[in-house]
Structures are given as structure tokens and as C-alpha cells.
Amino acid sequence: MGESKLFDAAFPYQDDVLALPVEDIDRAAAWYGERFGLNEVERRDDPVPTVILERDGVKIGFAINGGDASNDGAAILVTDIQRARDELEANGVETGSWRVDERDDGKYQVFFVVAPDGLCYYFHQPLG
């Protein structure tokens, strides 16, 4: 029935991958649902308006917390970087900086997405 798992993990740039700063919860939930294929799993108002979205067991949350979206986002580990890029582009998302990054733990194929809310996403998959 559907394709295999694509999202493997998500790591925040700042403090909390379940509280990425946005200005409008409904707009964020709709955009990430349509473009990233995330499904809403939780919504709460306390201590601040927050929505939690999920895909493949990986949760990413958005909150009206006064944070600066242009300095936040998440690194999303995927199982198939080409499929992730193709899917996002098919959903109208502009991707950028298709490259290989070398880190202490190996090489990664990566690309970036900057969402309309200013949050930046680093999609990555280990090579070899």
C-alpha cells in the first residue's frame, strides 16, 4: 500500500524540534501537511499554541512562542534523499544546495529547504 518509510529522524537547530517558531499554527499545519506530507497528531494551547505533525513516526512541532524562525529549523534524516527531493519538488517546494557534506562521522548527500515561514530544513542521508 504506500511507499516505504522516508523520514527517519528530525533534530532541532535550536532547542526543541517540537516547538519550531511560527506565527500561524493553522497555516503551518496546512503547509507542512501539503508540502512535507506530515499529518497532524496533536494540538494544544498551553503553554503556547502548538501543533505536532508526524510522518513515519518522526514528529515535528510548531509553536507560537516568539522565536525567530529565520534562526531555526531542523535537520531531517531521510532514507532516500533523491525521493525526498523529488517528492518535495513535486509538491511545489523549492530545494537548494544539492551537495555532499563531509562530517566526522562520514559523508552525507544533502539539500536545504527554506519554508515560507522562514524555517530552514537540512535534509540529509549518509552515503556509502
Side-chain angles (χ1 to χ4, degrees), residues 28-94:
W31 192 88
Y32 288 100
E34 293 169 9
R35 303 301 198 282
F36 280 33
L38 298 169
N39 296 303
E40 185 172 327
V41 295
E42 183 181 345
R43 192 178 281 242
R44 58 182 179 262
D45 291 320
D46 188 32
V48 297
T50 302
V51 63
I52 307 294
L53 306 178
E54 178 270 337
R55 177 170 179 171
D56 301 326
V58 176
K59 292 182 179 179
I60 301 173
F62 304 92
I64 301 176
N65 57 18
D68 181 358
S70 68
N71 287 317
D72 213 340
I76 300 176
L77 179 64
V78 294
T79 59
D80 184 337
I81 194 82
Q82 185 67 55
R83 187 174 126 215
R85 187 175 187 216
D86 291 348
E87 180 183 299
L88 288 165
E89 290 177 347
N91 290 339
V93 177
E94 187 176 324

Side-chain angles (χ1 to χ4, degrees), residues 2-18:
E3 294 198 48
S4 61
K5 178 178 178 172
L6 182 60
F7 282 35
D8 207 24
F11 309 95
Y13 292 160
Q14 299 289 331
D15 299 323
D16 189 353
V17 78
L18 297 179

